[in-house]
Amino acid sequence: MIFLMIVPPVMIVTIILVHETARYFGKEISYFSLIICAVLSFLVDAVAVAISTAANIDYFLKLFILIFVAAAVVTAVNRFLEVKR
């Protein structure tokens, strides 16, 4: 329960910091992409807990695939938003 109370404020602060840091270095990352990244990272956490029977190679392979797919989705969305702009 405490996890659900701590995560949203931390995610909001992190999204703002990443967005402002990227702008400082001359790169624009949309808030929408960052929010998708935050939601997917939360989902990866939830799924990792749900599939964790034991820390074996199968578990780490599933986790790697899940993280890779989430990163690909966020990258595709950000690329789409850059091209659209």
Side-chain angles (χ1 to χ4, degrees), residues 27-72:
K27 180 69 177 160
E28 186 68 32
I29 301 175
S30 70
Y31 279 117
F32 185 71
S33 295
L34 293 171
I35 291 170
I36 288 175
C37 184
V39 168
L40 287 177
S41 68
F42 187 77
L43 289 175
V44 166
D45 279 345
V47 171
V49 169
I51 66 171
S52 66
T53 54
N56 56 21
I57 192 72
D58 187 46
Y59 169 73
F60 288 115
L61 183 61
K62 288 177 185 175
L63 197 57
F64 172 78
I65 291 169
L66 187 62
I67 293 169
F68 184 79
V69 168

Side-chain angles (χ1 to χ4, degrees), residues 3-47:
F3 178 77
L4 295 176
M5 292 170 39
I6 293 174
V7 169
V10 170
M11 290 287 194
I12 291 168
V13 169
T14 303
I15 287 170
I16 293 169
L17 286 174
V18 168
H19 184 264
E20 293 304 316
T21 302
R23 284 186 60 203
Y24 176 78
F25 287 110
K27 180 69 177 160
E28 186 68 32
I29 301 175
S30 70
Y31 279 117
F32 185 71
S33 295
L34 293 171
I35 291 170
I36 288 175
C37 184
V39 168
L40 287 177
S41 68
F42 187 77
L43 289 175
V44 166
D45 279 345
V47 171

